[in-house]
Amino acid sequence: MADNATPTIIKGLEGVYFTETKICKVDGFKGRLWYRGYSIESLAKNSSFEEVSYLILYGSLPNAEALSVFTKKLVSYMNLDSGIIGLVKMLSPNMLSMDVLRSAVSSLPAFADKKVYQSEAEEKLEESAEIIGRICGIVALMGRLKAGGEYVAPDQSLGVAQNILYMMTGKIPEDKVAKMLDVMMLLHAEHSSNASTFCTIVAGSTLADIYSAITAGICALKGPLHGGADEKALDMMRAIGNPDNTEKYIEEALDGKKRIMGFGHRVYKAYDPRAKVIKSYLEDIQNGSTMEVQTLTAIALRAEKMMVEKLGETKGIWPNVDFFSGPVYTYIGIPKELFTPLFAASRSPGWCAHMLEYWQDNRLIRPLDYYNGQLDIPYVPLDQRK
């Protein structure tokens, strides 16, 4: 393109492909999602967070022995060094949860147990397992501290989701509750080149280390247009207060052209398949939980029904994964302040896998921006400026 030609600007890089991948496929028009070729529906029904993390990182489902070894590895990394515990304790009273997580993850190289590996690929996979386990452990510690408790080490006989709840409460969770958290983490484990994954790859494309790249992903996830949407959706449900107020609240919000958090998606123009899975759990807990959860569930289901009828088929605005998450997390016992850190823990396998894949044929990501300002402005000395 000639220097004086005006380029086509693609705001937000929407619709622009920057790399190839075998990790994840999203079909936004049909509402489909696959991890390494496996549908999200089949994985949510049959798999676990540990198994999906292995699949995303290694490219295939593990056998029983490999899964057992990998699960034990993740759980062992959830056992935090005293230095990390001290850092999280120091930062937590004065910083937002995502800022604490970002700072703690960026400090992980100081506590890494460095070993000699036969290959660089083996080392990167081990670092990835460490990052996943450490983030899960840090999130659990943050929850424990918010509840006023002291650090609880993970139980090697439990899985990742079980241990997050165990480390937060000091009690082994009910199977149903732990399974629900496991599925929530599985559903959030990967989602192609979203904003945080793209930031991870951009940072890693400079050949920065994987800890720095994942820290960049956490920074991007913090924003309410990405990782914080489930918190905003829960705030809306609590503002509605009574299920009978739902339709009036939604109608007034739409009339005022306010955004209804948890609806619409940059890629999905159909019902988010992850939201469908979460909705099935919402219906399951509707009549068997606290009054708060029952109220939130009723509001969520009524709001979803109204929004689908008004905007689903006509505007292509459907519920996304964030909309139903709040009531489910509340049922599980996850405080709102930990929704986005838990999202980071869940997404860490995807971040790591994309970084490892991109490094196999790395090219520094360096897009262009079109300058439309003045040129050759005469310089005015400081003492002559008005």
Side-chain angles (χ1 to χ4, degrees), residues 232-266:
K232 297 297 183 182
L234 183 63
D235 287 341
M236 182 191 74
M237 294 174 200
R238 287 176 171 163
I240 291 172
N242 187 313
D244 291 336
N245 297 335
T246 304
E247 289 76 14
K248 181 175 183 291
Y249 182 99
I250 297 293
E251 199 71 64
E252 290 178 351
L254 292 175
D255 289 344
K257 300 190 182 304
K258 294 181 180 178
R259 182 172 183 177
I260 308 298
M261 297 303 293
F263 286 87
H265 194 277
R266 178 66 69 86

Side-chain angles (χ1 to χ4, degrees), residues 262-278:
F263 286 87
H265 194 277
R266 178 66 69 86
V267 177
Y268 288 116
K269 306 309 174 187
Y271 210 116
D272 185 334
R274 302 166 299 172
K276 286 184 178 180
V277 175
I278 299 174

Side-chain angles (χ1 to χ4, degrees), residues 97-98 146 168 227-236 238 326 329-330 333-342:
S97 296
M98 283 297 284
K146 286 184 180 298
M168 286 177 59
D230 47 9
E231 295 180 42
K232 297 297 183 182
L234 183 63
D235 287 341
M236 182 191 74
R238 287 176 171 163
Y329 284 144
T330 303
I334 305 295
K336 189 182 76 168
E337 297 81 7
L338 290 186
F339 287 4
T340 311
L342 183 59

